[in-house]
Amino acid sequence: MEYPEIVLHRGKEESLLRFHPWVFSGAIRHLPKGIEEGDLVKVFAADGRMLGIGHYQIGSIAVRILTWADEAVDASFYARRLDDAFRMRRSIGIVNADTDAYRLVHGEGDFLPGLIVDVYGPTAVVQAHSPGMHFARLDIARSLVELPDAGITSVYYKSETTLPYKAQLDPTNEYLIGDFSGDVAMEQGLKFHVDWLRGQKTGFFVDQRDNRMLLQRYSADRKVLNMFCYTGGFSVYALRGGAREVCSVDSSAKAIALTEANVELNFPGAPNHNAVAVDAFEYLADMEKGRFDLIVLDPPAFAKHRGAIKNALRGYQRLNARAFEKIAPRGVLFTFSCSQAITKEQFRLAVFSAAAQSGRRVRILHQLTQPADHPINIYHPEGEYLKGLVLYVE
Ligand code: SAH
């Protein structure tokens, strides 16, 4: 296939030969004239070897490789990749009679760097993180509704906050195909209102599905505190697990309203749930010691980029220290970090420091991560972002 050609400096092909899909701008020796953000380009090593074809953009990551083969990246290419993604999820049982909320495309993990697709019943919510995916959005949308057996009839495009601001693409959040067709999705037999129009990210955090199920197992007869509850995912599972009481906390009043609606949808009139709109740190500071014996800490990413790592680690330590200080004896703490910039080891160290500060005896029961519909391309370890620990606190 003919695409504008990019040539790398000598030796800069190494990571690509190991199938890592990013070309950093510093690796490029020659950029063709007139190349524009979002263009497809063919990348060559200094010795003339063809390495792959990908989307070009301005920034530290200059090319995201879509294919290592010399093939056309067109509508049929996207259709094949999406079909692979769907088949994988169905064959491993993620999409089933009890679950129609799932991640269909996880960027590099599905060999489609720059693209995220979450599915909620008949609606697919598409997020482009690269100009190239923005330009491909209509091909992608058409392929989504044509996926056999996926049952997708509407495609909502939501990239106003995910595309590089400087590219001046001015995307609009809108339905590319179909229209609003209900907002209730199902996860492991539980129902959730999902607000992709106004909610954060694509509207729901499907990445906690497996971890919510584990929490359900631990909830029987416990008093559960769900911090940073957003849509109330963990709260609803805790109620199904037989929690004595569940308290949901989020600083956003909208999140609290959504949590209450989701509890009502599954357990109408549940007398043992209450929700409070307040800052998590303040809530923990004011909370009486021993009030809860199961606490979930699932904060937003404290480190949105590498420069913020130090402060973020301090934030995780402070938050976890509060929980260790207040959790009842023989309590269970589910603690998470979804910051991609922070490694498993760094997070663990922050939690260890918090535990040490409290002086309590703490054991690790489980080490958690993201579920299988957020696969990690083995050549792109950066795709691993969700980290969690389940701790027994005496
Ligand atoms: N646990 C959720 C996802 C959490 S998203 C789930 O399973 O779906 C992070 C949430 O933290 C958001 O809803 C946001 O409103 C809330 N938040 C951010 N900062 C906060 C703070 N300081 N105190 C309480 N909630 C906060």
Side-chain angles (χ1 to χ4, degrees):
M1 275 309 296
E2 299 268 323
Y3 290 115
E5 299 183 355
I6 281 183
V7 183
L8 304 187
H9 287 295
R10 199 166 297 284
K12 293 295 185 190
E13 70 280 13
E14 286 298 319
S15 64
L16 287 119
L17 291 173
R18 289 194 307 267
F19 305 114
H20 190 283
W22 294 347
V23 177
F24 290 98
S25 56
I28 296 176
R29 186 177 82 196
H30 169 78
L31 261 186
K33 276 209 181 57
I35 187 173
E36 304 246 12
E37 282 207 271
D39 282 352
L40 285 162
V41 291
K42 202 182 249 193
V43 180
F44 290 86
D47 64 9
R49 261 182 302 175
M50 201 285 282
L51 297 168
I53 296 168
H55 282 140
Y56 171 73
Q57 77 182 80
I58 296 168
S60 148
I61 303 172
V63 183
R64 290 159 197 261
I65 300 286
L66 296 157
T67 176
W68 308 103
D70 195 356
E71 63 178 326
V73 175
D74 53 11
S76 119
F77 171 87
Y78 289 111
R80 291 194 307 274
R81 287 277 153 102
L82 293 169
D83 191 56
D84 281 350
F86 180 69
R87 274 168 199 271
M88 188 274 260
R89 283 151 180 83
R90 206 178 43 179
S91 74
I92 61 173
I94 295 226
V95 189
N96 56 45
D98 286 338
T99 299
D100 65 9
Y102 60 96
R103 177 153 292 190
L104 175 59
V105 177
H106 185 56
E108 284 82 357
D110 286 290
F111 313 110
L112 288 167
L115 182 67
I116 296 291
V117 182
D118 284 341
V119 175
Y120 304 114
T123 305
V125 183
V126 173
Q127 274 191 337
H129 289 256
S130 69
M133 286 301 181
H134 172 68
F135 294 129
R137 67 194 182 284
L138 289 175
D139 284 342
I140 291 165
R142 274 186 224 109
S143 304
L144 286 169
V145 294
E146 282 168 14
L147 275 176
D149 306 324
I152 297 168
T153 52
S154 296
V155 179
Y156 186 70
Y157 186 60
K158 189 177 186 187
S159 303
E160 282 178 8
T161 56
T162 56
L163 281 166
Y165 169 71
K166 285 194 195 129
Q168 295 191 314
L169 301 165
D170 298 326
T172 323
N173 290 348
E174 60 182 347
Y175 286 96
L176 298 177
I177 297 181
D179 209 334
F180 180 78
S181 55
D183 75 337
V184 174
M186 191 144 68
E187 187 182 271
Q188 307 186 104
L190 293 166
K191 287 181 253 162
F192 291 95
H193 290 288
V194 181
D195 186 358
W196 48 85
L197 300 180
R198 284 164 299 268
Q200 300 176 46
K201 306 271 174 88
T202 66
F204 193 70
F205 287 90
V206 286
D207 58 359
Q208 290 287 23
R209 181 193 313 109
D210 293 353
N211 304 332
R212 289 181 185 129
M213 201 54 139
L214 185 67
L215 173 105
Q216 177 181 318
R217 272 177 32 206
Y218 276 92
S219 295
D221 285 330
R222 288 197 183 266
K223 294 183 181 170
V224 179
L225 174 63
N226 179 14
M227 301 299 273
F228 310 92
C229 64
Y230 186 29
T231 57
F234 284 106
S235 307
V236 175
Y237 279 77
L239 289 167
R240 184 163 72 177
R244 191 176 313 170
E245 67 166 290
V246 179
C247 177
S248 307
V249 174
D250 199 291
S251 56
S252 146
K254 266 198 284 184
I256 291 304
L258 199 52
T259 294
E260 282 172 339
N262 283 331
V263 168
E264 191 59 25
L265 190 61
N266 294 279
F267 303 101
N272 52 344
H273 176 257
N274 80 307
V276 213
V278 61
D279 176 82
F281 289 90
E282 280 174 32
Y283 186 89
L284 285 172
D286 296 344
M287 188 175 97
E288 152 205 354
K289 256 188 190 167
R291 171 80 181 75
F292 293 98
D293 58 0
L294 203 174
I295 299 180
V296 182
L297 300 176
D298 184 25
F302 284 169
K304 300 247 190 305
H305 52 85
R306 315 209 74 223
I309 291 179
K310 229 172 129 187
N311 275 335
L313 288 172
R314 232 175 275 140
Y316 287 117
Q317 184 178 334
R318 214 156 56 86
L319 178 66
N320 282 277
R322 290 256 160 94
F324 284 124
E325 200 186 304
K326 297 290 173 82
I327 196 166
R330 294 174 294 286
V332 176
L333 175 63
F334 279 63
T335 182
F336 296 96
S337 162
C338 61
S339 307
Q340 184 166 348
I342 287 181
T343 66
K344 229 184 333 217
E345 291 72 26
Q346 286 172 317
F347 176 60
R348 205 163 144 153
L349 194 61
V351 176
F352 279 14
S353 311
Q357 215 174 311
S358 73
R360 297 181 70 170
R361 248 178 22 178
V362 179
R363 282 178 276 179
I364 299 179
L365 304 180
H366 302 271
Q367 304 183 50
L368 308 177
T369 181
Q370 62 217 53
D373 54 344
H374 296 59
I376 302 155
N377 176 339
I378 203 163
Y379 308 111
H380 177 260
E382 295 91 333
E384 181 173 2
Y385 70 98
L386 184 62
K387 301 157 281 285
L389 294 169
V390 181
L391 306 164
Y392 191 78
V393 188
E394 291 187 38

